[in-house]
Amino acid sequence: LSSATHPILAAVSCSKTTVAFPKILMMLIRSALLLAMAMAGRLNQNVFEEGKIPCGCNNKVGLLAPKEKLEGIDIAPDAACAKPGVHASKTPGRFCSCDQGKAKNWNVAATAAQKRLDDALQPKIEALKSLMEKLQEKMGVEIDSSSIGKVKPKVTSFPREEGEGLWVCCCQSQAAGKCKRNAMENGWIKRGVHHAAPDRACEDEFATETTAEVTEPEEEPQEPLTTVEPLSTVE
């Protein structure tokens, strides 16, 4: 007789399956817990036991600075982010943000760069208008040149891919950078400061902010660490 044709055998088979399923489920749960404990042990060894860093900062809002003196730009050059009040992140792959609207001095830098561009283009625009007038006379035609100069190129970003370009993005120090001593760096399963900083960034950590406050960007998900600053983007 088979369980398919005999109701008693079918009931016994179903009962065995019902009893076996919880055991299998418990074994799977136990295996998952053991695996989680093993991974936690490795994380504890590789992450938590690293301890605290001497100085860490937790403000990702950066400051743009040219690497060298640029004509028409009043922002002081600081290729190494070594001037008072700023520093370079010491954590590989974690950079402060200086993309459009995110750098604390974005408006100052973009306005200065735009003025420099406009000043350089204006003589060319006037020369083009003069050329149109001469061509009208030589060709005996009328040329509509009213659109010349109305649509101007616009400064949109300060590219810094892999250290290239003429600008750097420095992190803020002291109180403005939310820097503190003996801080814990962000890790896979723990939350600490954003990046390690040189000791001087934590000097006078209670210094007051002298410039206008800015709104920090919303907390972003942790990204894989890289060794170079990513391509500057415009959002």
Side-chain angles (χ1 to χ4, degrees):
L1 296 175
S2 67
S3 60
T5 59
H6 198 287
I8 296 178
L9 292 177
V12 171
S13 176
C14 181
S15 177
K16 289 182 178 180
T17 302
T18 303
V19 173
F21 179 74
K23 290 184 177 180
I24 295 173
L25 182 60
M26 290 299 296
M27 290 177 62
L28 291 174
I29 294 175
R30 184 172 180 273
S31 299
L33 289 174
L34 290 174
L35 179 61
M37 291 174 63
M39 292 181 64
R42 289 190 64 181
L43 288 174
N44 182 63
Q45 180 179 1
N46 296 333
V47 179
F48 285 100
E49 290 183 0
E50 290 180 0
K52 296 182 178 180
I53 51 179
C55 177
C57 301
N58 202 36
N59 188 353
K60 294 182 289 184
V61 178
L63 283 165
L64 283 163
K67 293 181 179 179
E68 58 190 44
K69 179 60 180 176
L70 299 178
E71 183 180 353
I73 305 295
D74 292 333
I75 301 175
D78 189 10
C81 296
K83 291 186 176 297
V86 297
H87 65 275
S89 170
K90 295 178 64 177
T91 301
R94 292 203 182 119
F95 305 94
C96 292
S97 178
C98 283
D99 291 339
Q100 185 175 24
K102 292 184 178 180
K104 183 172 183 178
N105 62 339
W106 172 267
N107 288 337
V108 174
T111 299
Q114 186 67 49
K115 185 178 184 306
R116 174 73 180 90
L117 175 62
D118 293 343
D119 290 347
L121 289 177
Q122 192 58 40
K124 308 294 183 183
I125 293 173
E126 296 300 328
L128 183 57
K129 289 180 178 179
S130 177
L131 176 61
M132 292 299 102
E133 293 177 359
K134 292 178 181 179
L135 287 174
Q136 284 186 138
E137 295 178 3
K138 288 184 179 182
M139 298 171 60
V141 298
E142 183 176 348
I143 300 175
D144 182 4
S145 59
S146 60
S147 63
I148 296 177
K150 288 187 177 180
V151 179
K152 297 181 179 180
K154 185 179 180 181
V155 173
T156 58
S157 66
F158 298 82
R160 304 174 307 281
E161 185 177 12
E162 298 186 9
E164 300 296 328
L166 299 178
W167 294 77
V168 293
C169 181
C170 301
C171 297
Q172 300 181 71
S173 299
Q174 288 90 38
K178 299 182 180 179
C179 303
K180 59 182 179 180
R181 298 188 183 279
N182 299 321
M184 184 71 73
E185 237 180 329
N186 276 350
W188 293 330
I189 57 175
K190 62 183 176 62
R191 304 297 296 174
V193 295
H194 178 253
H195 62 270
D199 288 342
R200 63 182 180 80
C202 284
E203 295 175 1
D204 189 20
E205 61 184 273
F206 298 106
T208 56
E209 189 67 53
T210 57
T211 55
E213 291 293 331
V214 296
T215 302
E216 286 189 53
E218 295 181 0
E219 186 69 22
E220 301 171 355
Q222 288 293 309
E223 299 178 353
L225 298 185
T226 58
T227 57
V228 295
E229 185 175 0
L231 175 64
S232 181
T233 57
V234 178
E235 298 179 356

